Amino acid sequence: MLRITGGSVYDPANSINGEVRDLYIADGKFVDKESCDSGRVIDATGMIIFPGGVDVHTHVAGGSINFARAMTPEDHRRTQAFIRTKTRRSGLGGMAPTTFATGYLYAGMGYTTVNEAAVPVLSARHTHEELSDIPIVDKSSLVLMANNEIFLDLLEEGETERAKQVIAWYLWAAKAYGIKAVNPGGVAAWKYGDNASQLTEPVSGYKNVTPGNIVAQLAQIIDELGIPHPIHLHCNNLGAPGNVSTTLETMKHLEGRRAHFAHLQYHAYGGDDWGTMRSASVELAEYFNAHPNMTTDAGAVLFGDTVTITADGPWQHLLYKLTGRKWGNLDVENETGCGIVPYTYKPSNLVNAVQWATGLELLLLIDDPWRVFMSTDHPNGACFWRYPEILQLLMSADFRKECMACLPANIKNRITLPEIDREYTLYELATIISAGPARALGLKQKGNLGVGADADVVIYNRNVNIAEMFGHPRYVIKSGEIVIEEGDIRETPDGREYIIKPSFDPGTDDFLQPLFEDRYCMSFENYPVEMERIENPHLQDCKPQQ
Amino acid sequence: MQKSRFLPRGRKDRTMVLVDIRETKSVKAADIFLQVRPGKDFELLTILRAMIKDQPISDAEVAETGVSIEALQDLVARMKAAKFGAMFFGMGLSMTRGKHMNSAALLTLAAEMNAFTKFVAMPMRGHGNVTGADVIMRWQTGYPFGISFNRGYPRYNPGEFSTVDVLVRGDTDCVFVIGADPGATMPQPAIDHLARVPTIVLDPHVTHTSRLAKVHITTAPAGISAPGTAYRMDEIPLPLRPALKSSYPTDEEVTRRIKEAIQAKPDWMVEGPQRLETQV
Ligand SMILES: [Zn+2]
């Protein structure tokens, strides 16, 4: 048991805004005062208390990040090394941290839940093996569906009911938590060197399937199956100047349905080419603010070195041609793909400067903190352990001005950031890093300091240096256990894995097996991940809509 | 061979080109065989890189490779006309004259071919679960092989920390071998060292290494009587389902028990918590 007394509590899920409250913890959950009559007491007088952070979109485990690790040995060498002890495994931080280090670094900045946002079903077994090697934090994963050949074929034939059964089957086969759509149709076309850039044009190899109807059908299926997290969408035309029109059109395709737009920064550009590229955050935020069916994460960019990894194979090929740096490409049979390119965002580079401003603008112009969440699309925009730098930019307009002084002079008229005075409050920050993403993921027990919720909590020393305050919490408590204390890693418990089991027609196996044997190169029985392969599985509710 | 929507006739819709220094058994399976002169892989690859971009090459340079200009022109035309090209390479490329430079030339050729059509390249891995070891080492340490933990955290330097180099230098006072038979393949100084120090082998069979080891623990063969995961060459994980029962323990169980016994001993590392430093 554990009591935390005297701290200023920021718990947006329960509308508690900085009031002094005592928290009581027993058996890993928050309990009422009567149920906690012994154990350690943390005197948090003068300190700030947040629910543990929840990352709605990150890439920490599986084939693509592991390929990125292989491609960047030069980075491993200059980063913090975690030295082995009897209770802690060794590892390396940096652009693509190793699994054990990933857990230590996330917990080290107060995050206790992470959502791995891109898992091919074909290699889901690998992703789960890596996730079980990420200590401390709880995990969930999203499976890639928008370029799956069997699914696209069913859409082509108008077999939407069957498509729904197949999606549910795949989700359970992967032991995943939700559905991710990356560049719908575009990754499938990339197998033949093509892309899909128009929402209403047929995808290569199909007559009826367009990116627009892939998105709309998937969103419908996800709602009908009652999957807790809505469609998690990486739109077409990521990164391209002028792509805001595609993004807005996609949003219109999804009107009236739940949808989460991933890393919106990469989809918020105006202009016609690299020379005229500008931020289109104003028009995008205006539309977004008026449509409460949507949530998003920022996909913010920070200047510095990183490695970009995405299922968006054609975009990565373009990035390789633009930068001339190393390029890795993986095609995952008839399901999806992946590309990897190391990248350096420079303030002197006009495109990078626009990207930096656009991410912050979206976070500041979207007025409901329950709908826009902290992310850098780790490691794409910046590494996750740099989140505290972004929190500082959000909380201080003066600091933003200071940073803007380093941008190229010709950036005027391309960005709106200089005109924005908004400064985030601590209550709003607690919403975008914890309560909001937990709600969007449908994880009611997370991002919540109320009785019955998981006792994941962060205690900060007050500090005028915001980046330092959020980068170095005084205590981090996971499931009631103190894991970080005064910057030291104390305990490294295993986290849970959240999965769902949507209901599907038991005849789906018989339907899929012949198709599968025709198209895949492994046997059908070997394909689904067995339940016993998941370490600490935790089944969340998934009830179909009536 | 797999049929697909775009290749409905399976093998008949595919073209296989084999490049080797001699006629091997694979020639029968190939549509086209190009015989390259030993040690001229880098030159051949560089000429191909020039040819796909229509850059000038001299007859003398082509003659050196042992392959005719007509054959190369035909190859380039086929590569550019392919819908999806894949290049597989093995130790004949990466371990002969030029070594990693040859691999780099091939990977660059594959990347550059994407200016014309879809092309990929993939290394052919050795027998057993080499890829699996490589994949797991990468997620746990950041590096695929050639890793030293002697400072308490992973460091990487092939040529210094690779198994063969460590053994040849005689830098270890104990060797633990699992799922490998270095006694059959390594240079003599490495084998001599294996015999000199306490070498412990986990293997279902008697091997060259087990014969010179101080301890051989017989284990259940993976995939036959021990479960697990094997990673295919393209890093797709496959479950191993044992068909038989074995009275021998699995590699995993033996390793775990050895690890527990070591953990019971005093630790040589400095104890204590570690601070999370500012990352750079
Ligand atoms: Zn992403």
Side-chain angles (χ1 to χ4, degrees):
Chain A
M1 279 180 259
L2 180 66
R3 278 172 289 170
I4 304 164
T5 60
S8 305
V9 174
Y10 293 84
D11 180 15
N14 296 293
S15 307
I16 296 170
N17 182 2
E19 293 148 40
V20 173
R21 294 276 175 109
D22 295 345
L23 298 172
Y24 305 95
I25 296 168
D27 299 325
K29 308 250 181 224
F30 292 110
V31 294
D32 51 27
K33 190 177 178 180
E34 288 69 42
S35 312
C36 179
D37 48 13
S38 62
R40 183 170 170 184
V41 180
I42 292 178
D43 180 5
T45 306
M47 298 179 200
I48 290 166
I49 299 181
F50 270 37
V54 177
D55 201 337
V56 73
H57 187 110
T58 185
H59 302 283
V60 288
S64 48
I65 189 79
N66 213 29
F67 198 163
R69 291 183 188 114
M71 277 176 61
T72 54
E74 70 282 9
D75 179 65
H76 303 334
R77 189 152 283 221
R78 60 182 177 171
T79 182
Q80 181 184 3
F82 288 86
I83 296 168
R84 180 186 73 79
T85 68
K86 281 204 160 181
T87 50
R88 197 181 59 235
R89 306 285 296 265
S90 69
L92 299 168
M95 305 190 311
T98 58
T99 49
F100 307 123
T102 298
Y104 308 146
L105 287 166
Y106 259 117
M109 61 167 194
Y111 270 66
T112 47
T113 308
V114 301
N115 182 40
E116 161 55 57
V119 183
V121 190
L122 198 61
S123 60
R125 186 173 273 106
H126 172 179
T127 308
H128 290 298
E129 289 190 341
E130 276 200 40
L131 286 175
S132 72
D133 270 354
I134 299 179
I136 306 177
V137 296
D138 288 339
K139 294 141 291 198
S140 58
S141 62
L142 306 179
V143 77
L144 293 157
M145 267 296 132
N147 295 284
N148 180 293
E149 192 178 304
I150 292 176
F151 171 60
L152 296 189
D153 286 359
L154 289 168
L155 290 191
E156 175 84 350
E157 292 148 20
E159 295 238 31
T160 48
E161 178 53 35
R162 180 73 84 181
K164 181 168 104 185
Q165 306 302 327
V166 165
I167 294 279
W169 185 94
Y170 268 122
L171 189 58
W172 178 240
K175 301 293 176 286
Y177 182 74
I179 304 278
K180 168 86 173 293
V182 170
N183 185 356
V187 182
W190 170 240
K191 303 273 159 63
Y192 304 96
D194 295 335
N195 198 352
S197 55
Q198 296 294 326
L199 247 72
T200 50
E201 260 177 34
V203 173
S204 311
Y206 294 92
K207 289 196 194 73
N208 309 319
V209 176
T210 64
N213 70 29
I214 296 173
V215 168
Q217 297 282 5
L218 265 180
Q220 167 99 25
I221 287 170
I222 288 163
D223 281 352
E224 284 178 14
L225 290 171
I227 295 172
H229 184 51
I231 181 174
H232 193 106
L233 180 58
H234 159 144
C235 294
N236 302 76
N237 288 330
L238 172 138
N243 64 7
V244 69
S245 58
T246 310
T247 311
L248 286 166
E249 207 187 324
T250 310
M251 289 178 171
K252 285 175 190 149
H253 271 82
L254 289 166
E255 244 169 60
R257 296 205 180 92
R258 297 182 304 155
H260 178 86
F261 284 78
H263 38 70
L264 198 59
Q265 180 276 130
Y266 287 106
H267 305 276
Y269 310 138
D272 303 311
D273 49 35
W274 297 113
T276 58
M277 180 173 147
R278 59 174 178 82
S279 163
S281 59
V282 174
E283 50 187 308
L284 196 53
E286 197 181 355
Y287 184 91
F288 189 92
N289 285 335
H291 291 82
N293 57 316
M294 301 183 283
T295 55
T296 189
D297 60 90
V301 155
L302 288 170
F303 299 120
D305 291 329
T306 194
V307 54
T308 65
I309 63 169
T310 165
D312 202 336
W315 165 255
Q316 293 298 81
H317 178 234
L318 180 71
L319 198 60
Y320 151 72
K321 286 196 289 184
L322 286 170
T323 60
R325 292 179 67 164
K326 299 184 226 187
W327 172 41
N329 177 80
L330 286 167
D331 295 294
V332 186
E333 297 197 12
N334 39 31
E335 289 187 351
T336 178
C338 160
I340 295 136
V341 181
Y343 194 78
T344 306
Y345 293 96
K346 296 185 187 125
S348 56
N349 176 309
L350 191 60
V351 168
N352 294 164
V354 168
Q355 292 177 308
W356 176 83
T358 306
L360 296 171
E361 287 168 10
L362 288 167
L363 281 159
L364 293 161
L365 292 172
I366 294 176
D367 47 29
D368 181 1
W370 284 96
R371 294 207 287 129
V372 62
F373 313 131
M374 176 60 142
S375 86
T376 54
D377 188 15
H378 164 81
N380 288 297
C383 302
F384 67 81
W385 41 262
R386 296 185 67 190
Y387 287 176
E389 295 173 48
I390 301 176
L391 301 181
Q392 183 175 16
L393 287 160
L394 296 178
M395 283 194 82
S396 166
D398 283 343
F399 181 58
R400 290 201 296 269
K401 283 211 180 76
E402 239 173 79
C403 295
M404 277 187 277
C406 312
L407 304 185
N410 57 349
I411 199 160
K412 285 195 191 113
N413 306 324
R414 291 170 189 264
I415 60 171
T416 316
L417 197 59
E419 292 130 55
I420 305 174
D421 307 321
R422 180 178 167 195
E423 292 183 335
Y424 265 69
T425 63
L426 287 172
Y427 188 70
E428 287 170 330
L429 278 193
T431 313
I432 68 160
I433 66 179
S434 176
R439 183 181 285 183
L441 284 168
L443 292 170
K444 297 194 179 74
Q445 67 275 46
K446 297 293 178 190
N448 185 338
L449 301 178
V451 169
D454 288 352
D456 299 347
V457 51
V458 200
I459 306 175
Y460 302 101
N461 281 326
R462 267 177 211 283
N463 189 335
V464 284
N465 184 334
I466 299 299
E468 197 175 289
M469 174 174 139
F470 284 102
H472 299 275
R474 176 76 175 265
Y475 302 96
V476 180
I477 293 152
K478 167 69 186 19
S479 295
E481 195 171 3
I482 299 171
V483 291
I484 305 284
E485 186 167 355
E486 316 243 11
D488 290 336
I489 305 163
R490 296 285 177 195
E491 300 293 338
T492 59
D494 290 331
R496 308 178 180 87
E497 234 206 278
Y498 293 110
I499 53 182
I500 56 165
K501 185 176 188 182
S503 51
F504 54 85
D505 176 0
T508 309
D509 277 277
D510 293 340
F511 168 76
L512 276 172
Q513 186 155 5
L515 287 177
F516 191 94
E517 280 163 5
D518 199 33
R519 288 154 210 242
Y520 279 81
C521 61
M522 68 160 77
S523 64
F524 190 63
E525 311 76 77
N526 284 341
Y527 185 71
V529 180
E530 306 82 352
M531 195 60 177
E532 55 273 20
R533 293 275 180 157
I534 314 291
E535 232 162 89
N536 304 320
H538 191 100
L539 214 55
Q540 288 286 109
D541 279 350
C542 177
K543 292 205 183 80
Q545 279 182 357
Q546 294 310 311
Chain B
M1 193 178 280
Q2 202 76 359
K3 292 174 179 152
S4 70
R5 171 181 305 148
F6 296 92
L7 303 170
R9 297 181 303 153
R11 175 67 180 88
K12 290 199 193 81
D13 285 329
R14 291 168 164 93
T15 306
M16 177 176 154
V17 180
L18 182 77
V19 184
D20 211 326
I21 54 166
R22 70 180 78 84
E23 275 203 40
T24 61
K25 282 183 193 157
S26 305
V27 171
K28 254 190 231 148
D31 298 297
I32 297 167
F33 172 58
L34 302 178
Q35 192 163 0
V36 60
R37 204 165 278 162
K40 295 293 173 191
D41 296 305
F42 183 83
E43 287 78 354
L44 181 65
L45 287 162
T46 308
I47 286 169
L48 284 171
R49 286 183 56 202
M51 286 177 71
I52 62 168
K53 286 173 274 187
D54 297 319
Q55 285 166 357
I57 41 164
S58 75
D59 294 344
E61 284 162 343
V62 174
E64 223 185 288
T65 66
V67 184
S68 74
I69 185 71
E70 293 75 21
L72 288 178
Q73 280 162 345
D74 175 64
L75 179 64
V76 166
R78 286 173 188 275
M79 284 166 72
K80 286 189 177 181
K83 285 189 220 153
F84 192 138
M87 300 195 275
F88 298 98
F89 61 104
M91 291 206 288
L93 189 75
S94 63
M95 287 300 176
T96 54
R97 184 174 168 268
K99 290 196 169 181
H100 64 278
M101 303 291 282
N102 299 343
S103 310
L106 182 110
L107 295 173
T108 311
L109 174 63
E112 289 174 350
M113 271 307 294
N114 280 274
F116 309 99
T117 185
K118 184 65 187 285
F119 243 88
V120 298
M122 192 186 287
M124 309 276 272
R125 306 307 300 267
H127 62 279
N129 193 9
V130 182
T131 307
D134 179 307
V135 164
I136 293 173
M137 290 312 277
R138 259 152 55 202
W139 86 56
Q140 296 200 340
T141 73
Y143 305 121
F145 54 83
I147 306 160
S148 168
F149 292 96
N150 64 7
R151 288 186 189 165
Y153 66 93
R155 289 182 304 144
Y156 175 62
N157 198 14
E160 184 184 7
F161 302 143
S162 319
T163 313
V164 62
D165 303 290
V166 172
L167 291 177
V168 167
R169 281 198 314 273
D171 269 1
T172 53
D173 52 13
C174 183
V175 181
F176 185 75
V177 181
I178 178 168
D181 191 10
T185 53
M186 290 221 172
Q188 197 57 45
I191 293 171
D192 293 344
H193 189 69
L194 284 171
R196 195 155 46 230
V197 298
T199 292
I200 303 145
V201 174
L202 268 51
D203 207 295
H205 313 288
V206 173
T207 65
H208 289 89
T209 317
S210 78
R211 283 200 193 94
L212 51 84
K214 299 279 186 293
V215 179
H216 175 195
I217 300 171
T218 307
T219 51
I224 296 170
S225 49
T229 307
Y231 280 74
R232 217 166 60 181
M233 202 173 79
D234 57 354
E235 301 194 355
I236 296 295
L238 294 170
L240 300 178
R241 297 176 206 283
L244 304 170
K245 279 203 168 17
S246 168
S247 50
Y248 295 112
T250 63
D251 290 330
E252 189 184 3
E253 193 192 333
V254 173
T255 311
R256 185 173 44 75
R257 283 166 60 186
I258 292 175
K259 194 177 142 219
E260 279 165 10
I262 292 172
Q263 267 174 338
K265 301 198 171 217
D267 202 87
W268 60 276
M269 294 291 297
V270 183
E271 249 327 307
Q274 184 186 358
R275 295 198 70 75
L276 282 157
E277 290 159 21
T278 305
Q279 295 282 300
V280 288

